[in-house]
């Protein structure tokens, strides 16, 4: 190999400059960075507000006004800000990616950087989303003797700069002229500009107008004085309806001075799914940043919608969402604490409002309480649970029962609730979201409380045993019944219990169901998997069908002498017990129900035919 070819050439080491296709960049902005062309107006307002902020940093008494005028497919935005010199125009407007807010020691505009809204320097480029031409006329407040300068750019990437006579702009500030691109004229109509300006800039600290219409509406609704708390609630409820379209159950002050946050959280009037992402309105130094902030609050606070203004949170590059960092995490925790304090305040002083809130949003509070022992302790007398004594709080239920039994599924609760209630066993339905975790946490906030999961053995132990002599006399009947259900992995026992109207009760637990599922899978598996599943066979007790010896139907069935009929009747009782418990039926259970139903019909019709023929013969 030639030694010269192994060395990089001089040309390959020379630096090259990126070439930017402005049309391609505009397409990227409009279709990927920004969610809608509407953000062009936010960028214009933002630049104007930042310019005023920069001027007031050195001239505190400088005018602070922004005027927008829309007519004939064009828009003019004029501000009384710091303005630009010709050098500023070349350095800031004509260089994509450079910002007047960058920390450049040579750049005097960075002095008030902490008060600026923008941080990314995309600026006027976003206006090409709706405009084919941008013209900027500006006069610097920092260099009074500098003449006005004009910068004109088109969407093909070209621009021109020229100085203008002094009378072209006598006062410091900047005017931006936009000419709509084809198909985008609607974005520059006065009605659309006014609506966007009010949406984005209603909380801006300066005088902003579209024509003669005021845009800003200060102070913010949550900062205004009201003659009474009731008047305040009505005003905030009206504000919520205007923003979110619903009348709230209540409003929660969100005042976190250390995080520079002021605002309000509105409590939804109807229940929502915890999985539904809440969307909140966030203003950054008065400018609307996003209407869809999803990570602002803890996940458990899905029952509120927020609107707030902040000066501490960081926006993403598109300035349409929040940047996930330590500051946002701290703000999220602080806002969660405010909502938690509101809940504890209701519990202490306004039980009626708390009860109305929990009737709708108990799920959100349960979600919080399972991780927050203090909240669980406060909410214990209020959170509702389904129990065998009706809908009660855990506190009231624990006062009635020495042992708080619970089931892990709704199906388990339904199958034992009537029997347990009749036997005096207190049971909590832990099958709903978060309920099992809260019941198990009960001893940590209520020392001395006994909590136990209810299983089939516990229920059976509370049922009265049948007299041994009577059970021995029914041994033939029980043997036939057990033989009928043995293929289904279910035992048959005889007990006496109330209510008398329940002929049979199906009891099992999770271990028994797991064993049933394993056995079913083993039957359908090939030899290899059958061997593996067989090695996993457990020693869990089987499900059981508890027959009620006090029930008249069970007494009649137990007196039958036909073994086949006993089996059919037992299968029918088994199927009915499953249906009463609202348990899902396996294919084998469905087949059994069909078989038992047909068998009983055949027996009934056959018995009726025999009776008719016998009666006819005697006649």
């Amino acid at each position: 190999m030639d030694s010269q070819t192994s060395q990089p050439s001089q040309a390959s080491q020379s630096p090259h400059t990126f070439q930017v296709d402005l049309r391609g960049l505009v397409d990227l902005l409009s279709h990927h960075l920004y969610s809608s062309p509407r953000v062009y107006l936010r960028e214009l307002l933002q630049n104007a507000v930042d310019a005023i902020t920069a001027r007031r940093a050195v001239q505190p008494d400088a005018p602070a006004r922004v005027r927008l005028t829309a007519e004939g497919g064009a828009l003019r935005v004029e501000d009384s800000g710091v303005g630009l010199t010709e050098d500023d125009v070349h350095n800031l407007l004509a260089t994509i990616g450079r910002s007047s807010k960058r920390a450049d020691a040579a750049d005097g505009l960075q002095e008030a950087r902490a008060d600026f809204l923008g941080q990314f320097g995309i600026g006027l480029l976003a206006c090409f989303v709706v405009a084919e031409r941008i013209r900027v006329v500006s006069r610097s407040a920092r260099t009074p003797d500098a003449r006005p300068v004009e910068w004109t750019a088109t969407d093909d990437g070209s621009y021109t700069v020229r100085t203008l006579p002094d009378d072209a702009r006598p006062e410091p500030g900047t005017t931006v002229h936009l000419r709509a691109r084809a198909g985008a004229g609607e974005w520059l109509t006065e009605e659309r500009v006014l609506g966007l300006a009010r949406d984005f800039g209603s909380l801006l600290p300066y005088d902003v107008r579209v024509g003669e219409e005021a845009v800003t509406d200060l102070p913010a609704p949550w900062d205004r004085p009201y003659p009474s708390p009731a008047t305040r609630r009505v005003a905030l409820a009206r504000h919520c309806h205007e923003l979110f379209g619903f009348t709230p159950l209540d409003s929660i002050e969100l005042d976190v001075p250390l995080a520079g946050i002021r605002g309000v959280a509105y409590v939804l009037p109807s229940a929502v799914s915890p999985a539904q992402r809440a969307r909140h309105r966030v203003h950054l130094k008065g400018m609307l940043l996003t209407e869809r902030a999803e990570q602002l609050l803890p996940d458990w606070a899905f029952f509120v919608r927020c609107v707030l203004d902040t000066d501490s949170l960081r926006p993403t590059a598109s300035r349409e969402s929040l940047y996930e960092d330590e500051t946002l995490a701290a703000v999220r925790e602080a806002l969660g604490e405010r909502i938690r304090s509101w809940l504890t305040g209701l519990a202490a002083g306004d039980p009626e409002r708390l009860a109305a809130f929990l009737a709708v949003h108990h799920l959100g509070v349960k979600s919080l309480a399972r991780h927050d022992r203090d909240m669980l302790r406060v909410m214990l007398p209020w959170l509702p649970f389904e129990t065998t004594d009706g809908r009660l709080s855990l506190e009231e239920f624990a006062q009635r029962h020495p042992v708080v039994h619970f089931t892990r599924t709704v199906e388990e609760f339904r199958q034992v609730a009537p029997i347990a209630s009749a036997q005096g066993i207190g049971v909590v339905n832990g099958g709903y979201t978060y309920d099992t975790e809260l019941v198990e946490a009960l001893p940590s906030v209520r020392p001395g409380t006994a909590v136990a999961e209810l299983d089939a053995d516990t229920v059976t132990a509370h049922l009265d045993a049948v007299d041994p002599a009577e059970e021995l006399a029914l041994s033939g009947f029980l043997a036939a019944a057990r033989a009928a259900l043995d293929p289904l992995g279910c035992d048959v026992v005889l007990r006496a219990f109330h209510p008398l109207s329940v002929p049979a009760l199906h009891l099992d637990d999770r271990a028994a169901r797991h064993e049933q599922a394993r056995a079913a899978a083993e039957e359908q598996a090939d030899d290899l998997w059958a061997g593996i599943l067989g090695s996993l066979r457990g020693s869990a007790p089987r499900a059981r069908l508890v027959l009620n010896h006090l029930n008249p139907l069970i007494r009649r069935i137990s007196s039958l002498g036909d073994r086949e009929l006993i089996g059919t009747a037992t299968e029918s009782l088994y199927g009915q017990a499953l249906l009463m418990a609202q348990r899902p039926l396996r294919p084998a259970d469905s087949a059994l129900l069909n078989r038992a139903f047909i068998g009983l019909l055949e027996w009934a019709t056959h018995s009726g035919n025999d009776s008719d023929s016998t009666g006819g013969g005697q006649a």
Side-chain angles (χ1 to χ4, degrees):
M1 179 182 294
D2 187 0
S3 61
Q4 291 183 349
T5 61
S6 63
Q7 300 296 324
S9 67
Q10 184 65 29
S12 67
Q13 296 183 24
S14 300
H16 298 276
T17 302
F18 283 105
Q19 301 299 312
V20 176
D21 179 358
L22 189 58
R23 280 199 177 97
L25 190 56
V26 169
D27 180 73
L28 178 67
L29 288 174
S30 59
H31 292 96
H32 300 283
L33 183 61
Y34 296 124
S35 62
S36 166
R38 69 197 298 268
V39 299
Y40 88 91
L41 193 69
R42 184 194 63 199
E43 295 293 337
L44 289 173
L45 286 176
Q46 180 171 287
N47 287 342
V49 170
D50 282 347
I52 294 172
T53 301
R55 184 177 180 184
R56 284 202 155 188
V58 293
Q59 300 177 16
D61 58 345
R65 60 178 180 271
V66 181
R67 297 291 182 266
L68 297 91
T69 305
E71 56 184 2
L75 175 65
R76 184 175 75 252
V77 181
E78 183 176 3
D79 67 66
S80 59
V82 70
L84 300 171
T85 64
E86 184 175 352
D87 288 341
D88 293 333
V89 167
H90 284 290
N91 290 333
L92 302 177
L93 298 186
T95 305
I96 295 174
R98 178 171 294 179
S99 170
S100 64
K101 280 77 73 175
R102 290 190 182 276
D104 185 348
D107 188 352
L109 292 183
Q110 58 85 36
E111 295 175 1
R113 185 180 189 279
D115 294 323
F116 289 148
L117 299 174
Q119 300 290 331
F120 297 95
I122 296 175
L124 290 176
L125 192 60
C127 294
F128 280 121
V129 173
V130 298
E132 63 180 7
R133 185 168 68 95
I134 303 174
R135 176 171 169 258
V136 178
V137 177
S138 187
R139 184 163 193 163
S140 175
R142 297 194 318 276
T143 312
D145 56 344
R147 293 170 61 186
V149 61
E150 177 191 70
W151 177 83
T152 304
T154 58
D155 60 3
D156 62 1
S158 63
Y159 72 92
T160 61
V161 178
R162 63 176 180 144
T163 56
L164 302 175
D166 286 341
D167 58 0
R169 185 173 180 92
E171 299 295 328
T174 300
T175 303
V176 179
H177 302 264
L178 300 185
R179 171 64 61 182
R181 65 169 54 250
E186 63 168 312
W187 293 103
L188 272 63
T189 62
E190 183 174 26
E191 182 180 5
R192 177 61 67 91
V193 169
L194 178 60
L196 292 177
R198 283 178 171 167
D199 201 26
F200 284 119
S202 63
L203 300 184
L204 289 174
Y206 304 136
D207 179 17
V208 182
R209 295 177 182 272
V210 176
E212 298 299 322
E213 297 289 336
V215 168
T216 52
D217 185 19
L218 295 175
W222 51 83
D223 284 331
R224 296 171 188 170
Y226 295 96
S228 67
T231 306
R232 179 182 182 82
R233 279 198 296 271
V234 171
L236 289 179
R238 183 167 54 249
H239 176 245
C240 175
H241 195 273
E242 292 172 355
L243 281 186
F244 298 113
F246 65 85
T247 301
L249 282 177
D250 206 348
S251 56
I252 307 169
E253 297 289 330
L254 299 180
D255 185 4
V256 188
L258 292 179
I261 286 178
R262 285 285 299 155
V264 61
Y266 294 115
V267 181
L268 291 166
S270 57
V272 293
S273 168
Q276 179 179 331
R277 300 297 296 180
R279 294 184 171 185
H280 312 287
R281 289 176 62 96
V282 177
H283 296 255
L284 181 61
K285 302 182 180 71
M287 181 75 74
L288 178 66
L289 178 69
T290 178
E291 299 174 281
R292 302 185 300 273
E294 295 183 350
Q295 68 272 48
L296 187 64
L297 296 180
D299 290 341
W300 55 261
F302 54 83
F303 49 84
V304 298
R305 296 292 179 269
C306 295
V307 54
L308 56 83
D309 189 24
T310 175
D311 58 15
S312 62
L313 299 178
R314 288 176 57 195
T316 59
S318 66
R319 291 192 284 278
E320 293 188 281
S321 59
L322 297 173
Y323 188 81
E324 185 69 48
D325 57 10
E326 293 180 358
T327 302
L328 180 57
V331 166
R332 186 186 300 120
E333 182 177 350
L335 295 180
E337 183 58 38
R338 285 294 303 117
I339 297 173
R340 183 186 290 109
S341 298
W342 170 77
L343 283 171
T344 55
L346 287 186
D350 200 338
E352 290 186 2
R353 285 170 65 198
L354 177 62
F357 166 76
L358 289 178
V360 178
H361 295 299
H362 59 274
L363 196 60
V365 180
K366 286 181 177 181
S367 174
L368 170 60
R370 67 193 176 117
H371 296 303
D372 189 326
R373 292 293 178 263
D374 291 337
M375 180 57 61
L376 178 58
R377 185 177 294 106
V378 170
M379 292 290 113
L380 202 59
W382 308 102
L383 288 175
F385 289 79
E386 184 179 2
T387 77
T388 49
D389 293 352
R391 199 160 181 80
L392 300 175
S393 70
L394 285 182
E395 175 68 27
E396 184 176 357
F397 188 80
Q399 291 174 355
R400 297 184 180 187
H401 300 278
V403 178
V404 177
H405 289 97
F406 68 94
T407 62
R408 292 187 181 273
T409 68
V410 175
E411 291 78 10
E412 290 174 0
F413 179 80
R414 287 171 177 164
Q415 71 179 356
V416 303
I419 310 304
S421 180
Q423 306 303 314
I425 307 173
V427 185
V428 178
N429 183 357
Y432 296 113
T433 307
Y434 310 133
D435 284 7
T436 290
E437 295 173 76
L438 293 176
V439 174
E440 290 178 324
L442 188 56
S444 67
V445 297
R446 197 177 188 276
T449 303
V451 173
E453 182 176 356
L454 187 69
D455 55 24
D457 289 336
T458 302
V459 177
T460 306
H462 279 77
L463 304 180
D464 295 334
V466 178
D467 182 85
E470 292 188 56
E471 187 167 1
L472 181 60
L474 297 175
S475 58
F477 159 73
L478 292 174
R482 287 166 182 155
L485 298 187
D486 184 68
L488 298 172
C490 183
D491 290 333
V492 177
V493 297
L494 189 64
R495 292 291 187 273
F497 56 86
H498 294 274
L500 300 180
S501 58
V502 177
L505 175 66
H506 181 270
L507 294 177
D508 63 1
D509 51 30
R510 285 181 298 159
R513 289 195 294 276
H514 291 165
E515 177 60 21
Q516 287 179 346
R518 186 209 59 78
E522 182 181 356
E523 290 180 1
Q524 300 175 5
D526 56 28
D527 292 342
L528 174 61
W529 282 106
I532 294 175
L533 292 169
S535 67
L536 298 177
R537 182 179 294 109
S539 59
R542 304 207 303 173
R544 66 199 69 176
L545 183 69
V546 184
L547 302 179
N548 188 0
H549 188 54
L550 300 180
N551 181 268
L553 176 61
I554 296 298
R555 287 184 173 272
R556 288 196 296 272
I557 293 175
S558 64
S559 65
L560 294 173
D562 187 332
R563 187 179 181 88
E564 183 177 349
L565 182 56
I566 290 175
T568 301
T570 303
E571 290 177 340
S572 299
L573 291 169
Y574 173 83
Q576 188 261 355
L578 287 180
L579 294 175
M580 289 297 294
Q582 300 185 36
R583 294 289 304 278
L585 299 180
R586 299 171 297 169
D589 298 330
S590 298
L592 174 143
L593 277 172
N594 291 333
R595 184 173 64 249
F597 179 71
I598 296 300
L600 289 177
L601 283 179
E602 288 181 347
W603 178 81
T605 55
H606 178 72
S607 174
N609 290 337
D610 287 349
S611 175
D612 291 342
S613 61
T614 301
Q618 290 176 346

